[in-house]
Amino acid sequence: MCGIVGYIGARPAAGLLLSGLESLEYRGYDSAGIAVMENEKISVAKEKGRLAGLREVLDTSPLSGNIGIGHTRWATHGVPSVKNSHPHTNTDGTIAVVHNGIIENHEALKDYLQKKGYSFKSETDTEVIPHLIDYYYDGDLLSAVRKAAEKLDGSYAIGVISSKEPDKIVAVRKDSPLIVGLGKDGNFIASDIPAILSETKDVYLLNDNEFVTLTKSGVAITDADAKPIEKEIFKVQFSAQASQKEGYDHFMLKEIHEQPVAIRNTLRGRLDKDLKLNLDNLKFSDDIEKLYIVACGTAYHAGLVGKKAIETLAKLPCEVCLASEFRYGDPLINKNTAVLVVSQSGETADTLAVLRMAKKLGNTVYAITNVVGSSVAREADYVFYTYAGPEIAVASTKAYTTQLVAFYLFAIHLAELKNTVRQSELDDMKNELLHLDEVVSDILKSDDEIKKLAADIAGERDIYFLGRGLDYFVAMEASLKLKEISYIHSDAYASGELKHGPIALIENGTVVISICTNPEISNKLNSNVKEVTARGAKTIGFTACLSDTAAYNEIIKLPQVDPLLAPLPAIIPLQLLAYHVCTAKGFDVDKPRNLAKSVTVE
Ligand code: F6R
């Protein structure tokens, strides 16, 4: 995690760095800092906590200069503090470094450097980097960075400035994202596109082990052997406005409301009004007998729904795995398996590692991702973009629903290739898919009702979610949404599992939220709801099965759609519920504690 940014050009650097960091704060917000070249000397400003703190420091003691690097931190090694904040410098302050990633061999390097007389001020892994560059410096900053990088194990995107060569920024990446922005009056580095979007839409997407030297007038890219690399300029398609709140109080609320458009954008060009599916670019070999769907967090929850869709329609066995577990679980990958990774950011470290592992083992890798040009997008064999637009709020909403759309299309595509389901059935589903945006728009109108419910439950200590079949997966996602932004303890259970332990948690007044979208199994769920009611639970039903609602204390109506598609509309009011509970409690919706949007560490 962490976000890095750098600017070199004709304009004052500090303001540009701060506005870049503002867009990157979703990557971490434990502390922030910048280093600026002032009269050929490096000046550093840092502050613990949000960027606002650093702004105050800079208001009191401004930094001038046209070259600088900045960092917003998600703490890994060392507590959030000024001392551990980036930029980190070498002993005499002539080299400053910002870093996103983890240096796994930092202890050994620190040991080595200490023996050479270097002393350390922070608890971070990063601090070895400026010392190592200092150690290798013999008049050429780029070559010193190259030599230092050779010694680093782990992941890094690094930006370096040095007063010994005060006319450049040197940067490199390995397993952490980094892009270069080509501005009108200067050049940028950044962890992500939104950080530079108000300045330029022309970027270079760097690959691992590519080194960049930025000057005011140009950008030179070389590989680890110092060979020049020619790169095509990537034109960003979305606007800076897409990364703004546009009148909404929070990005999360804006992104919840953007879902109808995001769904339409994800369907566009892939599913025509005449129900023709255009996914011919996603090739699928007949030899594939099993698909591993691998992801983290919300994307994993999308994968659970995806498995059901693919198995039901395409009759292809799928296994859904958490990326962090899959990597070390000795999975049975062979020539008859394929891997589908799901990642909004396309940069999640564990998901990316699985992609690389699968490719190394010769498997075809499919990817569902939202970020064009991300590492996952560039390295997968086949990419399905969810055109949700930038998702800024840490809690994922529109990425999840568009991932579901991607899975539905993928499942129908495979079903058509394999001829596993009657075409009329698939056409009915396609037809419903084309109208899902309207269904979602309708649900968004129930905001007031949800807000009222949120006010009623905001004071709870524990809230449980129940569901059966696909509704269990919706319950898991709803529970994650609630706990990550409201800090209410919450768990999701398959409702039939309750009696095997969890029901012991139910006390008088415990809130239990049930999700029911499939009339065929609603009576089973209702029995489970009655069991918790009998033990004093306060029950709230998010239900499309309105014939039997007596068991609930309160009801939120869900629309009736094909049971396979139902998780998509069902999650919308539950996203709103989490949002309103969070605002009722006065917490920071878009930047919940301890979290970061893009998890680029394992
Ligand atoms: C939760 C959330 C996370 C992400 C997870 C994977 O609201 O956003 O659980 O889903 O960190 O991130 P991506 O999809 O970027 O790989």
Side-chain angles (χ1 to χ4, degrees):
M1 351 260 240
C2 302
I4 70 170
V5 65
Y7 171 72
I8 179 164
R11 292 156 65 194
L16 288 167
L17 295 175
L18 284 177
S19 74
L21 288 178
E22 201 153 34
S23 313
L24 292 176
E25 235 190 339
Y26 71 89
R27 302 176 68 87
Y29 29 83
D30 289 331
S31 67
I34 61 169
V36 174
M37 194 76 70
E38 288 189 303
N39 303 321
E40 308 206 345
K41 270 189 67 191
I42 294 175
S43 302
V44 176
K46 307 177 181 192
E47 189 54 296
K48 186 180 157 189
R50 302 276 162 99
L51 196 59
L54 178 65
R55 275 191 194 282
E56 278 173 28
V57 170
L58 288 166
D59 282 346
T60 321
S61 317
L63 296 185
S64 61
N66 314 115
I67 302 171
I69 50 178
H71 187 271
T72 179
R73 179 167 186 247
W74 187 81
T76 55
H77 294 62
V79 295
S81 66
V82 171
K83 186 179 70 176
N84 289 330
S85 308
H86 300 218
H88 289 285
T89 60
N90 62 335
T91 311
D92 64 8
T94 54
I95 296 168
V97 171
V98 287
H99 164 223
N100 164 216
I102 288 185
I103 306 304
E104 285 165 1
N105 59 339
H106 71 104
E107 296 285 5
L109 291 171
K110 187 171 174 181
D111 220 40
Y112 179 79
L113 288 162
Q114 276 171 332
K115 285 189 184 124
K116 299 280 175 196
Y118 287 91
S119 56
F120 286 75
K121 291 182 279 207
S122 77
E123 300 148 10
T124 65
D125 53 334
T126 301
E127 202 183 350
V128 298
I129 304 172
H131 290 312
L132 211 52
I133 296 171
D134 178 281
Y135 177 67
Y136 286 118
Y137 188 77
D138 63 359
D140 181 350
L141 183 63
L142 174 59
S143 133
V145 173
R146 202 174 263 122
K147 284 180 186 151
E150 241 175 63
K151 298 286 173 215
L152 303 177
D153 290 342
S155 58
Y156 48 83
I158 299 167
V160 187
I161 55 171
S162 170
S163 54
K164 297 173 188 181
E165 297 181 33
D167 57 347
K168 64 183 67 155
I169 297 174
V170 173
V172 58
R173 69 158 275 182
K174 184 186 153 268
D175 294 341
S176 286
L178 190 65
I179 56 132
V180 173
L182 307 166
K184 269 205 299 288
D185 46 18
N187 297 309
F188 298 82
I189 53 164
S191 297
D192 200 356
I193 290 170
I196 48 124
L197 208 51
S198 55
E199 299 299 327
T200 180
K201 287 187 164 192
D202 290 349
V203 303
Y204 288 137
L205 303 170
L206 296 179
N207 291 320
D208 279 355
N209 303 313
E210 291 184 343
F211 293 78
V212 203
T213 307
L214 287 91
T215 59
K216 286 185 180 175
S217 54
V219 173
I221 306 175
T222 48
D223 68 10
D225 300 321
K227 281 207 205 82
I229 294 173
E230 289 297 324
K231 264 203 186 287
E232 273 191 26
I233 293 177
F234 175 82
K235 292 257 178 218
V236 180
Q237 296 300 328
F238 55 90
S239 67
Q241 210 190 358
S243 315
Q244 306 298 320
K245 284 193 205 135
E246 292 174 6
Y248 285 95
D249 288 342
H250 301 99
F251 280 112
M252 184 181 178
L253 189 61
K254 176 189 171 217
E255 289 159 9
I256 289 173
H257 280 271
E258 280 174 341
Q259 289 177 109
V261 175
I263 291 167
R264 278 200 293 279
N265 287 346
T266 304
L267 289 171
R268 181 166 303 129
R270 288 156 170 164
L271 180 57
D272 298 344
K273 282 203 180 72
D274 60 9
L275 306 186
K276 189 177 165 332
L277 199 60
N278 307 310
L279 286 181
D280 295 344
N281 55 335
L282 291 183
K283 304 271 180 265
F284 205 85
S285 156
D286 284 344
D287 298 338
I288 304 302
E289 290 165 2
K290 178 173 181 178
L291 183 67
Y292 286 102
I293 300 170
V294 188
C296 304
T298 285
Y300 169 77
H301 295 159
L304 293 168
V305 177
K307 167 188 161 82
K308 178 75 179 161
I310 294 169
E311 289 186 342
T312 306
L313 299 180
K315 316 293 178 213
L316 176 73
C318 299
E319 198 171 318
V320 193
C321 310
L322 292 165
S324 52
E325 293 293 318
F326 187 81
R327 293 176 65 184
Y328 304 107
D330 225 354
L332 299 173
I333 293 183
N334 60 42
K335 63 179 176 32
N336 299 117
T337 59
V339 171
L340 193 173
V341 295
V342 192
S343 174
Q344 186 283 132
S345 62
E347 301 293 349
T348 298
D350 284 313
T351 309
L352 192 53
V354 168
L355 180 159
R356 288 177 180 159
M357 175 178 133
K359 284 200 79 173
K360 217 168 170 179
L361 292 169
N363 262 224
T364 302
V365 177
Y366 299 82
I368 295 175
T369 184
N370 192 37
V371 179
V372 177
S374 60
S375 302
V376 159
R378 281 184 283 162
E379 295 182 37
D381 297 302
Y382 297 100
V383 181
F384 187 107
Y385 285 112
T386 52
Y387 293 117
E391 193 179 65
I392 310 289
V394 164
S396 185
T397 53
K398 61 179 180 171
Y400 171 77
T401 41
T402 53
Q403 281 159 3
L404 295 191
V405 171
F407 271 115
Y408 294 136
L409 291 177
F410 191 67
I412 296 172
H413 175 58
L414 290 192
E416 286 186 344
L417 287 179
K418 291 158 73 72
N419 206 8
T420 40
V421 172
R422 274 204 317 275
Q423 192 59 45
S424 60
E425 234 178 90
L426 294 176
D427 285 350
D428 286 349
M429 191 160 286
K430 289 182 196 172
N431 209 9
E432 280 211 52
L433 262 178
L434 284 173
H435 292 96
L436 268 186
D437 61 329
E438 295 157 27
V439 176
V440 170
S441 292
D442 267 358
I443 304 175
L444 287 168
K445 292 180 191 145
S446 60
D447 196 32
D448 285 347
E449 194 186 356
I450 305 288
K451 196 169 176 179
K452 212 172 127 288
L453 175 62
D456 291 345
I457 64 170
E460 297 298 323
R461 189 193 57 186
D462 311 291
I463 294 181
Y464 299 102
F465 289 84
L466 301 183
R468 258 176 200 268
L470 282 167
D471 295 336
Y472 171 42
F473 306 145
V474 178
M476 289 166 83
E477 175 57 9
S479 170
L480 176 63
K481 257 349 43 125
L482 182 74
K483 71 175 88 132
E484 72 179 322
I485 58 172
S486 74
Y487 315 144
I488 293 175
H489 163 252
S490 166
D491 279 317
Y493 294 108
S495 58
E497 253 319 274
L498 268 192
K499 291 187 281 295
H500 302 283
I503 201 162
L505 295 166
I506 305 300
E507 298 171 347
N508 212 14
T510 304
V511 171
V512 176
I513 297 178
S514 309
I515 296 123
C516 184
T517 59
N518 187 349
E520 278 177 27
I521 49 175
S522 77
N523 57 348
K524 299 276 175 225
L525 176 75
N526 279 335
S527 305
N528 303 131
V529 173
K530 280 173 189 150
E531 287 155 13
V532 293
T533 307
R535 281 144 186 100
K538 180 179 174 201
T539 55
I540 302 165
F542 282 66
T543 180
C545 313
L546 298 170
S547 55
D548 183 10
T549 55
Y552 300 104
N553 295 104
E554 235 167 297
I555 285 264
I556 302 287
K557 267 204 252 172
L558 295 176
Q560 277 176 346
V561 295
D562 183 298
L564 210 47
L565 304 182
L568 196 157
I571 197 61
I572 310 288
L574 291 153
Q575 294 170 340
L576 284 169
L577 183 70
Y579 171 80
H580 287 305
V581 170
C582 176
T583 53
K585 294 182 82 172
F587 294 142
D588 189 335
V589 178
D590 291 331
K591 297 189 187 96
R593 72 183 178 205
N594 303 340
L595 293 174
K597 181 80 183 155
S598 186
V599 185
T600 54
V601 294
E602 295 175 27

